[in-house]
Amino acid sequence: MESLLQVNHIEKTYGKGGTTFKALDDVSFSIDHGEFVGIMGPSGAGKSTLLNVLATIDTPTQGDILVDGENIAKLDEESLSDFRRDHLGFIFQDYNLLDSLTVRENILLPLAVSKTPVEETRSRVDALAKRFGLNQILDQYPYQISGGQKQRTAVCRALISNPKLIFADEPTGALDSKSATDLLHTLAGLNEAETTIMMVTHDAYAASFCRRVLYIQDGRLSKELIRGATSRDAFYEAILEELKGGASDDAL
Amino acid sequence: MTLFDLAKNNVARNLSRYALYVGTTIFSIIIYFTFATLKHSGEISALAETSKQIGGLMSASTFILLIFVALFIAYSNAFFLRGRKREVGLYSLLGVRKKQIGQLLLFENLVIGAVSRVIGIGLGGVGANALLYVLLRLMNSDLSIGFAFSGSALVETFLVFLGIFLFTSFQGYRVIYRFKLIELFHADKQGEDVPKANALAALGGVVTLGVAYWLALQDLTSPLWRVLSLAMPLVIIGLTVVGSALLFHSVLIFILGRMKANERWSWRRLNMLTTSQLLYRIRGNAKTLTLISIISATAITAGGAIFSMYYYAEENVTSFTPYTFAWEGEARPIDADVLAEATVLKKTVRLPDAYGEREYGLIDESTYRDVTGGLGWEEPAALRGNEVRLVDPFYDERFSEDVDAVEIEGTTYPVSERIGDTPLNVMTFGGIFLVARDDVYDAITAEEVAYQAVKVDDYKEQGALSERLSTETSFSSATELYRDTMAMNGALLFVGSFLGLVFLVATGSVIYFKTMTEAEEDRAKYAVLRKVGISKRDIRQTVRQQIAVVFLAPYALGLLHATVALIAFSNMLAMDFTVPVVVWMAVYSAVYAVYYVVTVRRFTKSVL
């Protein structure tokens, strides 16, 4: 079966002339349909750059990124926006909700832009809101609701256009531990319902919810951990073990 | 690190923010200094000596400008300080004393003031000379112009702005003391509650404006004018201001709320974002929008009225002095191309009217035929029997009494028709006169006086001839009238356009400042939109629409106010302002549109 996401030898260089910095160096990997992949690594390892490049927010200096066989590194500006809106979903650490829009409006924003009929929009928003327990607060504004509710709103927004792939960038970073655990269970549940998720995190607990964890360091993929049939707790231990090794490198 | 170093680094780091503020102050100083230079310049002083009105006009305008400039600087200073509350809060949090922060801001503002004064006065000196040239051209003056520099203008400008900057500096100093730390950190967060429309206030706004307009369009003879008399304009202006404020406070919010509630419309593209953003900002901006609509209305009304006067100046000259020269007595040699000349014999009769007695001129029918023929007018209908024709250039149906018949020396003469345009120079012959058949005229025994009327080619250029004839009795000269009219109206037009331009720039700048500050706050918002896959094209569109509403709403309202005011004026003066007013509004709108385009471009560049 063809991979959903195929990353071929991408490279990202910042700066010009003599003072260049390679944020990504020959990174290749693939994600299949229905996977839940975690990307881990210390600060400055290139996690965010990788996510930005994959999310089409940034363009790679070299290399190809294929989503369902389509090379998104070659798309122009407008098609990229459409692609992002129709096929990718995003969840960010700081929610990135628009504070002048209600919860409902925040969720339906991508549909409004893709000119979906009002009735369909309404039914899709209502269904998602019900599933994530937001139906009581649809007409409230982001500043009136809790962090967990905000992040669930963001998840709904990411899911509203039935994306092929969801990118989550440190989604639990701003949440208290209970909300964070709830959200991770939600993501794991989504994954079980066939949604493909790629999550960037530095938190071993969050990463332990993934099926597979890629470890990135100095712009290169350094290690891959696969959960397989082990329990989440065992996987958590394995990740921690791996991190200890990484931490000693980090100290240098 | 001393306070001075801190202030210095501060300026260096926030250069763009400072640039806006300093730009505003420099602009204000340039404007003021230019105007002061004009006022004090030899050419204008000479004109002011010959014409009291020009002198008065310049002083009044300087005063308006002074008030305006002071408000403008105070506004941009307050605006500038608000943007820096967080910075001040940070100092405070780090343990810098309020007194020290206050001193820092005071010192900083005084330095900005000093720098602006130097640059503004330098640039203003150059601008003044360019404008002086324009002014003299508009006034049709052939005075030669050297480079004008006025010491007193320099001193005046310097002192005025020293005062303004001292004031704003202490204003800033006070701000620091008034605010609590927590407020300083939440300065940008105010006004976040999405406003609810108050239908009653919205209705009130519409009604208030309706009443103001209705009052403004009342005729001078209406009983309302009699009751309110001099308070009438104040009542109209007051109602307009209140109505405008309510309009922005409630009506606009009401409309936007309705638009947003319509999901078929608002759930399409970024419409809901556009309306939400506007709703979200509008209450905080209501005061500014009201101010802008009032300023625009003032500038458009004043400019429109002045431009109309200028536009009709020449027509006025020919209607008051249809013959180039007229005087009492003998004919004189005329060394110019004579187009028409006539000797007019006139008798004077006194007739009773409602207020006592009124003096009428009386000429015979063949003379009337002669003078109107010389002007190329249509052949007048022949008079029958005792009929007389009444020529009254000052007739106004609202005030003049209708005369059906006149009684002269015991005989009653019916008035066959009334003519509004006089063929005879008003200043020589008096405005109102009667025309009677030659035999009727001869029968009236009143004393007869001989006058001369001459129309020459190229009347505007007959200065020397006019000068030579000026010693004649009851002399009137179109040449002289034209020169005076142009001097007066040219000066008015110049001052009007100058102030109009200042107002225009000020309103445009205020919206620009506001919008650009919002751009800074909104940058994160637009980044989110980009991340969730909203194209640059859609973002550009919502930006264009949002800024269009902020620009258009107050301007459209100002334009409406001005239109009503100008209709009222033109009714009052019984003149048709349409052409000059439309031209003036088009020019004003064009400049305003440039502001809009620039703001959209800068905003888009800043958020994308």
Side-chain angles (χ1 to χ4, degrees):
Chain A
M1 187 177 132
E2 197 186 334
S3 304
L4 172 60
L5 175 73
Q6 179 74 51
V7 177
N8 291 335
H9 310 287
I10 57 167
E11 206 169 277
K12 179 72 190 176
T13 315
Y14 287 114
K16 272 179 191 158
T19 56
T20 54
F21 166 71
K22 250 184 196 172
L24 292 176
D25 188 4
D26 193 23
V27 174
S28 298
F29 64 95
S30 64
I31 296 180
D32 287 335
H33 286 279
E35 275 203 284
F36 187 178
V37 178
I39 307 276
M40 293 195 75
S43 306
K47 291 191 306 265
S48 297
T49 308
L50 178 64
L51 188 82
N52 283 342
V53 168
L54 294 182
T56 70
I57 293 165
D58 206 345
T59 49
T61 316
Q62 260 175 39
D64 296 321
I65 301 162
L66 299 141
V67 177
D68 250 355
E70 190 170 4
N71 193 345
I72 58 172
K74 299 276 187 287
L75 288 178
D76 67 24
E77 174 62 40
E78 293 296 303
S79 332
L80 269 183
S81 286
D82 292 347
F83 182 83
R84 196 146 67 220
R85 198 181 61 224
D86 298 337
H87 302 302
L88 305 179
F90 294 91
I91 304 167
F92 307 95
Q93 175 174 6
D94 43 5
Y95 327 123
N96 277 342
L97 299 178
L98 298 171
D99 47 10
S100 56
L101 298 183
T102 60
V103 169
R104 182 198 305 278
E105 289 164 344
N106 265 294
I107 296 174
L108 67 83
L109 190 67
L111 290 188
V113 176
S114 58
K115 295 179 218 160
T116 312
V118 172
E119 288 70 28
E120 192 189 335
T121 303
R122 198 193 314 275
S123 63
R124 268 157 87 171
V125 172
D126 287 346
L128 273 178
K130 201 164 169 212
R131 183 163 154 207
F132 290 94
L134 297 172
N135 38 0
Q136 298 301 315
I137 56 164
L138 276 177
D139 290 318
Q140 294 194 348
Y141 287 88
Y143 67 94
Q144 297 169 314
I145 63 178
S146 74
Q149 288 170 326
K150 282 184 198 169
Q151 196 56 297
R152 275 183 279 148
T153 304
V155 171
C156 287
R157 182 178 64 189
L159 290 173
I160 193 85
S161 52
N162 293 326
K164 291 177 179 163
L165 182 56
I166 291 201
F167 290 107
D169 187 4
E170 303 274 10
T172 57
L175 297 177
D176 61 81
S177 57
K178 168 139 192 342
S179 302
T181 307
D182 286 350
L183 182 78
L184 289 166
H185 280 295
T186 303
L187 290 179
L190 280 177
N191 176 240
E192 271 156 35
E194 304 272 285
T195 307
T196 314
I197 302 171
M198 185 185 125
M199 175 170 72
V200 168
T201 182
H202 67 271
D203 175 26
Y205 177 69
S208 71
F209 282 79
C210 301
R211 314 299 307 177
R212 179 158 71 110
V213 172
L214 295 171
Y215 198 78
I216 188 169
Q217 193 160 27
D218 299 329
R220 290 172 157 275
L221 286 183
S222 60
K223 184 95 183 163
E224 183 177 24
L225 298 177
I226 297 172
R227 177 162 156 198
T230 54
S231 74
R232 198 184 57 70
D233 285 338
F235 193 47
Y236 176 54
E237 291 302 324
I239 294 167
L240 278 185
E241 204 54 42
E242 175 57 34
L243 282 183
K244 272 182 203 148
S248 61
D249 288 351
D250 223 19
L252 291 174
Chain B
M1 197 176 191
T2 64
L3 208 56
F4 178 75
D5 291 328
L6 198 58
K8 210 170 59 183
N9 291 340
N10 220 344
V11 178
R13 269 195 308 273
N14 290 313
L15 213 58
S16 68
R17 184 169 274 175
Y18 281 81
L20 262 178
Y21 176 56
V22 175
T24 317
T25 58
I26 290 179
F27 169 77
S28 309
I29 294 167
I30 292 176
I31 293 291
Y32 191 87
F33 183 60
T34 304
F35 211 77
T37 304
L38 291 181
K39 195 179 66 174
H40 289 286
S41 75
E43 285 84 354
I44 299 292
S45 300
L47 273 170
E49 265 170 39
T50 53
S51 160
K52 277 240 165 60
Q53 286 128 310
I54 292 184
L57 181 70
M58 293 305 269
S59 310
S61 303
T62 318
F63 182 70
I64 295 175
L65 199 59
L66 172 67
I67 301 282
F68 188 76
V69 157
L71 281 177
F72 190 45
I73 293 189
Y75 179 84
S76 35
N77 181 258
F79 188 73
F80 176 61
L81 280 181
R82 204 176 50 196
R84 297 180 57 194
K85 272 187 192 167
R86 199 180 291 265
E87 176 194 334
V88 169
L90 191 64
Y91 290 148
S92 206
L93 201 63
L94 292 175
V96 183
R97 286 182 190 169
K98 278 186 173 179
K99 192 177 156 198
Q100 285 174 306
I101 302 172
Q103 282 170 351
L104 174 74
L105 293 185
L106 184 106
F107 178 69
E108 194 187 277
N109 200 43
L110 288 176
V111 170
I112 289 176
V115 172
S116 313
R117 280 199 296 276
V118 171
I119 299 176
I121 287 174
L123 291 175
V126 179
N129 283 285
L131 285 172
L132 191 59
Y133 177 75
V134 173
L135 173 59
L136 291 173
R137 286 300 296 269
L138 277 175
M139 287 167 39
N140 265 20
S141 169
D142 28 331
L143 287 168
S144 65
I145 312 152
F147 187 83
F149 181 80
S150 155
S152 39
L154 183 80
V155 172
E156 184 184 317
T157 309
F158 192 84
L159 289 179
V160 162
F161 282 91
L162 186 65
I164 292 176
F165 275 103
L166 278 175
F167 174 75
T168 53
S169 300
F170 280 104
Q171 188 188 25
Y173 195 73
R174 256 178 14 151
V175 163
I176 305 309
Y177 278 87
R178 271 209 316 248
F179 285 108
K180 298 193 172 64
L181 197 50
I182 184 77
E183 286 171 2
L184 291 174
F185 274 95
H186 288 139
D188 297 339
K189 299 255 179 194
Q190 278 162 8
E192 292 215 342
D193 276 357
V194 174
K196 292 257 182 320
N198 180 345
L200 208 66
L203 192 69
V206 175
V207 169
T208 312
L209 269 188
V211 171
Y213 285 179
W214 179 72
L215 280 179
L217 292 175
Q218 288 299 305
D219 200 79
L220 279 175
T221 51
S222 107
L224 277 164
W225 270 97
R226 224 167 302 139
V227 177
L228 292 169
S229 71
L230 285 177
M232 185 86 157
L234 290 180
V235 171
I236 295 172
I237 292 171
L239 286 176
T240 308
V241 173
V242 171
S244 308
L246 283 173
L247 205 67
F248 287 118
H249 227 263
S250 299
V251 179
L252 200 54
I253 290 172
F254 186 74
I255 295 172
L256 285 170
R258 275 299 163 92
M259 284 167 81
K260 199 180 162 186
N262 177 1
E263 288 161 0
R264 268 177 210 293
W265 182 82
S266 74
W267 289 5
R268 223 172 55 218
R269 308 207 77 91
L270 291 177
N271 287 346
M272 67 184 174
L273 183 78
T274 310
T275 40
S276 296
Q277 285 290 103
L278 285 168
L279 271 173
Y280 188 68
R281 302 253 189 237
I282 224 122
R283 188 151 283 176
N285 286 343
K287 237 185 270 171
T288 312
L289 295 181
T290 309
L291 187 73
I292 286 168
S293 70
I294 298 297
I295 291 178
S296 306
T298 313
I300 298 170
T301 309
I306 289 170
F307 186 52
S308 300
M309 295 299 183
Y310 187 77
Y311 187 80
Y312 286 116
E314 201 171 331
E315 215 176 295
N316 259 336
V317 169
T318 42
S319 77
F320 277 95
T321 50
Y323 276 85
T324 314
F325 305 113
W327 64 93
E328 185 184 327
E330 301 290 304
R332 300 281 174 225
I334 303 293
D335 52 354
D337 293 338
V338 175
L339 298 174
E341 58 185 325
T343 299
V344 180
L345 296 175
K346 191 189 89 171
K347 294 178 178 174
T348 303
V349 293
R350 290 176 166 279
L351 302 175
D353 72 352
Y355 309 103
E357 252 188 0
R358 191 160 179 195
E359 209 170 72
Y360 285 78
L362 179 69
I363 63 172
D364 63 27
E365 197 178 6
S366 31
T367 310
Y368 184 73
R369 227 173 259 281
D370 205 20
V371 289
T372 52
L375 294 173
W377 292 12
E378 226 173 276
E379 178 89 354
L383 294 164
R384 282 184 310 248
N386 265 359
E387 277 178 1
V388 291
R389 179 177 291 128
L390 177 65
V391 178
D392 184 358
F394 299 116
Y395 180 81
D396 186 320
E397 56 184 329
R398 293 169 296 187
F399 311 112
S400 303
E401 103 185 76
D402 280 315
V403 181
D404 301 325
V406 290
E407 196 189 312
I408 306 168
E409 294 168 2
T411 317
T412 302
Y413 301 91
V415 174
S416 67
E417 62 173 338
R418 186 177 41 73
I419 307 275
D421 295 324
T422 176
L424 292 173
N425 294 5
V426 171
M427 285 79 97
T428 302
F429 295 92
I432 189 165
F433 64 90
L434 298 162
V435 183
R437 268 169 53 155
D438 294 10
D439 52 336
V440 176
Y441 174 85
D442 289 338
I444 292 168
T445 57
E447 193 193 343
E448 188 177 70
V449 181
Y451 292 91
Q452 307 299 326
V454 181
K455 184 176 172 60
V456 303
D457 198 19
D458 216 2
Y459 80 91
K460 294 173 196 165
E461 310 298 330
Q462 302 299 341
L465 182 56
S466 177
E467 188 70 22
R468 198 156 54 72
L469 292 169
S470 63
T471 51
E472 299 292 337
T473 318
S474 302
F475 180 66
S476 67
S477 156
T479 312
E480 206 176 295
L481 185 62
Y482 178 77
R483 209 182 50 210
D484 290 353
T485 307
M486 288 319 265
M488 183 59 210
N489 283 318
L492 252 176
L493 179 67
F494 176 80
V495 171
S497 337
F498 190 85
L499 291 182
L501 180 79
V502 172
F503 281 22
L504 177 59
V505 170
T507 49
S509 308
V510 166
I511 305 184
Y512 176 79
F513 289 161
K514 262 205 155 347
T515 316
M516 290 315 289
T517 319
E518 288 169 6
E520 239 160 77
E521 293 165 15
D522 283 352
R523 202 170 289 158
K525 232 173 239 178
Y526 290 99
V528 175
L529 289 177
R530 293 287 296 134
K531 281 184 191 166
V532 298
I534 292 179
S535 67
K536 284 188 179 176
R537 205 189 58 220
D538 281 339
I539 292 179
R540 280 200 193 97
Q541 192 189 0
T542 178
V543 165
R544 268 202 305 274
Q545 290 171 344
Q546 284 175 44
I547 299 178
V549 171
V550 174
F551 265 86
L552 206 62
Y555 184 66
L557 190 65
L559 211 57
L560 190 64
H561 290 343
T563 308
V564 173
L566 286 167
I567 290 175
F569 271 137
S570 77
N571 287 344
M572 215 176 271
L573 301 175
M575 282 166 85
D576 180 13
F577 282 180
T578 316
V579 175
V581 163
V582 167
V583 170
W584 166 249
M585 283 178 174
V587 170
Y588 200 94
S589 306
V591 180
Y592 200 75
V594 170
Y595 256 98
Y596 167 70
V597 171
V598 170
T599 309
V600 167
R601 204 166 277 175
R602 291 290 306 263
F603 192 104
T604 316
K605 210 171 149 192
S606 151
V607 299
L608 281 184

